[in-house]
Structure formats: structure tokens, C-alpha cells
Amino acid sequence: MNNMNEELRTITVLDFEKGKVFQHNLSDGSINGWNPNDESCEDFLIEQGYSLGNIQWMLHEDATIYVK
């Protein structure tokens, strides 16, 4: 089994200000030494220009979107 940090490589963001859903794939090396905790994720999102008060986000394994 892989290390949990190695498995969590996608952040999905619900941006209520823009009314859009965004995904960021972090396995492309965009963050060196990735340690997915709340603080590092929120720092990343702020660097990407998101306002934390206007979004919900989740960290997960892959970029699959399930439509029911």
C-alpha cells in the first residue's frame, strides 16, 4: 500500500464566487515535498488566487468525476 501522502494528489475546488468547479493535479510536480495537511492545502489554494471564504475544497486520489 502506498503512503497516504502519495495517494492524495488532486484538489477539487468548488468556487462559489465564480460558480465553477476546478481541479488541480499535484502529481505533476507542481509542489515539491507535498505534505497534504490543511495548512499546506490552504496555502496552495491561496497561491492559486482562491479566497478561502468563497470556496469548499477536498483532497483526493484521482481526478475522476462521478455523475449520477
Side-chain angles (χ1 to χ4, degrees):
M1 182 171 176
N2 290 344
N3 181 345
M4 180 69 104
N5 293 355
E6 293 173 2
E7 293 177 6
L8 302 175
R9 293 295 187 180
T10 301
I11 297 179
T12 296
V13 180
L14 302 176
D15 188 326
F16 301 112
E17 186 175 7
K18 295 180 181 174
K20 295 184 178 183
V21 177
F22 298 93
Q23 286 194 315
H24 300 273
N25 181 348
L26 303 174
S27 63
D28 63 2
S30 57
I31 295 183
N32 293 326
W34 176 242
N35 179 19
N37 58 37
D38 286 349
E39 185 177 341
S40 63
C41 290
E42 289 179 354
D43 288 347
F44 172 78
L45 293 168
I46 291 168
E47 289 172 11
Q48 297 302 307
Y50 294 105
S51 172
L52 296 180
N54 293 321
I55 65 171
Q56 291 288 318
W57 61 272
M58 71 178 204
L59 186 62
H60 51 101
E61 236 177 78
D62 63 34
T64 303
I65 296 177
Y66 300 92
V67 180
K68 188 172 183 182

